[in-house]
Amino acid sequence: MTARKQDHNKGKILDCSIKSEYDLMQRCHIEEFTGCWIWRGTFARGSARVYVRLPGSEKGKVMNGGRAALCVREGKEPDRELRLEGYRLKCRNENCCNPDHCRWMTR
């Protein structure tokens, strides 16, 4: 999914970036049994690719689903140390974007 797409009906450019947990949830299929939010958008290298625009930034970033969920919840990108360590999904579903299932890994 591109960050911006043309609305052919009205000739306007629509912003498709994720700015809140609600935006993220609306673009996922929610599994009732597991509570996983399964991304319905673009995939690359086997995992969800989400375009996120964090508060206070003019440009967005493409990142995988779990990282996007944590960044949207916290409203900022993590410190360099956490960014290098990565994140872990409690549900072990690579395509899950539920922030309750994600946590930053530390050594």
Side-chain angles (χ1 to χ4, degrees), residues 25-81:
M25 186 175 68
Q26 292 301 308
R27 296 187 189 163
C28 294
H29 166 75
I30 300 173
E31 291 187 349
E32 290 181 36
F33 183 70
T34 62
C36 289
W37 299 1
I38 307 301
W39 180 246
R40 291 186 294 184
T42 305
F43 288 84
R45 293 183 230 130
S47 66
R49 304 303 288 172
V50 182
Y51 182 79
V52 176
R53 182 173 300 153
L54 298 171
S57 76
E58 293 180 20
K59 289 186 176 180
K61 283 182 130 177
V62 175
M63 55 185 77
N64 58 19
R67 183 181 297 269
L70 289 170
C71 289
V72 166
R73 172 165 278 177
E74 295 174 6
K76 63 183 177 76
E77 285 201 64
D79 297 333
R80 185 174 177 354
E81 183 179 314

